[in-house]
Amino acid sequence: MKKKILIILFLTFNFSEWIPLGQLLTFPPTMGIGGRDLAQMNIWAGSCAWALSPGSSGVNFLRLAVGARAAGMGEAFTAVADDASAVGWNPAGLTQIEDKQIFFVHGLLPLFVNQDLVSYAQSWDKYSFGFSANFLSSGKMYRTTENASGDYTGTNGQFESVDSAFMFSFAQRTGGFGFGATLKILRSVIDSYSGNAIGVDVGFLYRFGNNKNFKLAAVLQNFGSKMKYSNDVQDGLPMGMRLGGSYAVGTELGKMNLSFDLNLPIDHSAGVHLGLEYWIQDIAAIRIGYKTDRINDLDALSGLCCGGGVKFENFEVDYAYVPYGDLGQTHRISILASF
């Protein structure tokens, strides 16, 4: 079966607009994709977010959840983010850090795709800053060829797709109010084509209530220049806004965090995210979440997320499981070190 899986290259504009038909980048039959239909592949190609039509924003790896803790809570994390992962979620969350932290993430995603991220953050009096490097790699893929009729005719070498984001954050705390901003330097490389862009996030956080256990947050994401490719093609960033809240409840066994996010992208319908995190004696955590973003593209069960974590001394290790319907499952592992 002929499969023109163009969009699997993690850009959501139509590649056929700028790559000749005979050089379309597709998966050959030997990769065993078989019965999965093109619509399902479109969903994953939007960087695990949703299928986007040509002309809508690209660079969609920026939509991927940063960290296993956030992924396990259904990505309801805008107000929760209180560690080095805040660089990728809400820079204002860095005002909650009281020490120095290093954060590592590895994501095992469908179709041989891997996500790797490292972050560093620290506080100094009422100021905080952070740095993060985020990479998404497809691994080796075949460059296939076809004849004038569009039939598969063979392969012509291999290529890789790598997206990267280098992020620099600064935040300031004034009483219960926090403000932060992140500068993003973005690069996308697919075969011999490459593009660059600059984006900015601006975030806010307000903590109040007893022990400041109730939090409200907002963040404007990915506002900046278009991704400009070496062949003069341009693609907009996935701009949007997230609103969130969280409430920490003390129990006999430990602290429980209840959270929600409202995701408002400019190129897709709004999504609701709900999350719960329950710490047992501040040693082990159980997490569950639900998000409505992909219900229409996959199925209702694909909105369900879960995970857990453990703490020992100055380390925290977290895991998250997120299903993607017929596309398979995703797994994320993250490690947070405080010192």
Side-chain angles (χ1 to χ4, degrees), residues 106-125:
H106 180 66
L108 301 172
L109 312 178
L111 302 172
F112 319 105
V113 176
N114 290 284
Q115 180 191 26
D116 293 284
L117 177 144
V118 59
S119 295
Y120 172 83
Q122 75 172 75
S123 61
W124 181 63
D125 192 18

Side-chain angles (χ1 to χ4, degrees), residues 10 47 61 64 109 113-115 135-138 161-163:
F10 303 97
S47 286
F61 82 102
L64 284 173
L109 312 178
V113 176
N114 290 284
Q115 180 191 26
F135 302 94
L136 189 76
S137 173
S138 68
S161 168
V162 179
D163 291 324

Side-chain angles (χ1 to χ4, degrees), residues 245-323:
S246 69
Y247 182 67
V249 182
T251 71
E252 293 183 358
L253 292 179
K255 184 175 72 171
M256 179 171 60
N257 286 314
L258 303 172
S259 62
F260 77 91
D261 268 23
L262 178 61
N263 185 23
L264 302 169
I266 65 169
D267 52 11
H268 196 269
S269 58
V272 176
H273 300 245
L274 302 173
L276 181 148
E277 176 184 58
Y278 190 26
W279 280 99
I280 302 173
Q281 301 298 326
D282 203 34
I283 296 175
I286 299 172
R287 303 184 182 99
I288 190 169
Y290 192 82
K291 48 189 176 180
T292 65
D293 295 321
R294 63 174 68 98
I295 291 178
N296 293 332
D297 295 325
L298 293 172
D299 54 57
L301 290 179
S302 295
L304 186 65
C305 314
C306 61
V310 294
K311 288 183 180 179
F312 53 96
E313 296 184 352
N314 297 327
F315 294 89
E316 178 181 333
V317 179
D318 296 305
Y319 166 79
Y321 167 82
V322 181

Side-chain angles (χ1 to χ4, degrees), residues 3 41 82 91 168 185 230 269 302 306 309:
K3 292 288 182 179
M41 305 304 286
D82 56 3
F168 305 86
I185 300 175
S230 52
S269 58
S302 295
C306 61

Side-chain angles (χ1 to χ4, degrees), residues 148-186:
S149 301
D151 297 321
Y152 169 76
T153 58
T155 62
N156 182 23
Q158 293 181 314
F159 71 98
E160 288 184 283
S161 168
V162 179
D163 291 324
S164 58
F166 298 93
M167 297 173 278
F168 305 86
S169 299
F170 175 81
Q172 180 177 345
R173 181 182 69 252
T174 303
F177 180 78
F179 165 82
T182 297
L183 173 67
K184 299 180 177 181
I185 300 175
L186 309 170

Side-chain angles (χ1 to χ4, degrees), residues 13-305:
F13 55 81
N14 188 345
F15 259 145
S16 63
E17 295 177 358
W18 57 285
I19 296 180
L21 184 62
Q23 300 176 23
L24 291 176
L25 307 178
T26 65
F27 285 102
T30 55
M31 295 194 70
I33 293 176
R36 296 173 180 163
D37 62 38
L38 185 57
Q40 292 173 325
M41 305 304 286
N42 279 344
I43 296 169
W44 177 248
S47 286
C48 310
W50 38 70
L52 299 174
S53 61
S56 56
S57 62
V59 203
N60 280 290
F61 82 102
L62 294 176
R63 300 189 199 264
L64 284 173
V66 176
R69 183 184 175 202
M73 295 178 67
E75 301 176 20
F77 209 67
T78 302
V80 176
D82 56 3
D83 53 35
S85 69
V87 174
W89 280 102
N90 180 2
L94 293 173
T95 60
Q96 303 177 85
I97 294 177
E98 299 179 353
D99 46 21
K100 301 175 182 177
Q101 295 183 344
I102 298 179
F103 182 63
F104 302 94
V105 180
H106 180 66
L108 301 172
L109 312 178
L111 302 172
F112 319 105
V113 176
N114 290 284
Q115 180 191 26
D116 293 284
L117 177 144
V118 59
S119 295
Y120 172 83
Q122 75 172 75
S123 61
W124 181 63
D125 192 18
K126 61 181 179 179
Y127 303 103
S128 302
F129 65 89
F131 165 78
S132 181
N134 187 6
F135 302 94
L136 189 76
S137 173
S138 68
K140 294 287 187 180
M141 294 185 286
Y142 289 100
R143 182 189 300 106
T144 67
T145 59
E146 57 186 22
N147 58 26
S149 301
D151 297 321
Y152 169 76
T153 58
T155 62
N156 182 23
Q158 293 181 314
F159 71 98
E160 288 184 283
S161 168
V162 179
D163 291 324
S164 58
F166 298 93
M167 297 173 278
F168 305 86
S169 299
F170 175 81
Q172 180 177 345
R173 181 182 69 252
T174 303
F177 180 78
F179 165 82
T182 297
L183 173 67
K184 299 180 177 181
I185 300 175
L186 309 170
R187 182 167 175 80
S188 179
V189 178
I190 304 175
D191 199 13
S192 60
Y193 300 93
S194 62
N196 299 280
I198 293 178
V200 174
D201 291 355
V202 178
F204 306 88
L205 176 71
Y206 184 62
R207 298 185 291 170
F208 57 98
N210 296 330
N211 300 316
K212 297 184 177 179
N213 57 343
F214 188 68
K215 297 185 288 186
L216 295 175
V219 60
L220 302 174
Q221 296 179 313
N222 303 316
F223 285 79
S225 67
K226 291 186 176 181
M227 178 69 76
K228 298 180 180 180
Y229 292 89
S230 52
N231 59 349
D232 297 327
V233 170
Q234 298 185 21
D235 205 36
L237 301 184
M239 297 185 292
M241 179 172 65
R242 295 182 77 101
L243 304 175
S246 69
Y247 182 67
V249 182
T251 71
E252 293 183 358
L253 292 179
K255 184 175 72 171
M256 179 171 60
N257 286 314
L258 303 172
S259 62
F260 77 91
D261 268 23
L262 178 61
N263 185 23
L264 302 169
I266 65 169
D267 52 11
H268 196 269
S269 58
V272 176
H273 300 245
L274 302 173
L276 181 148
E277 176 184 58
Y278 190 26
W279 280 99
I280 302 173
Q281 301 298 326
D282 203 34
I283 296 175
I286 299 172
R287 303 184 182 99
I288 190 169
Y290 192 82
K291 48 189 176 180
T292 65
D293 295 321
R294 63 174 68 98
I295 291 178
N296 293 332
D297 295 325
L298 293 172
D299 54 57
L301 290 179
S302 295
L304 186 65
C305 314

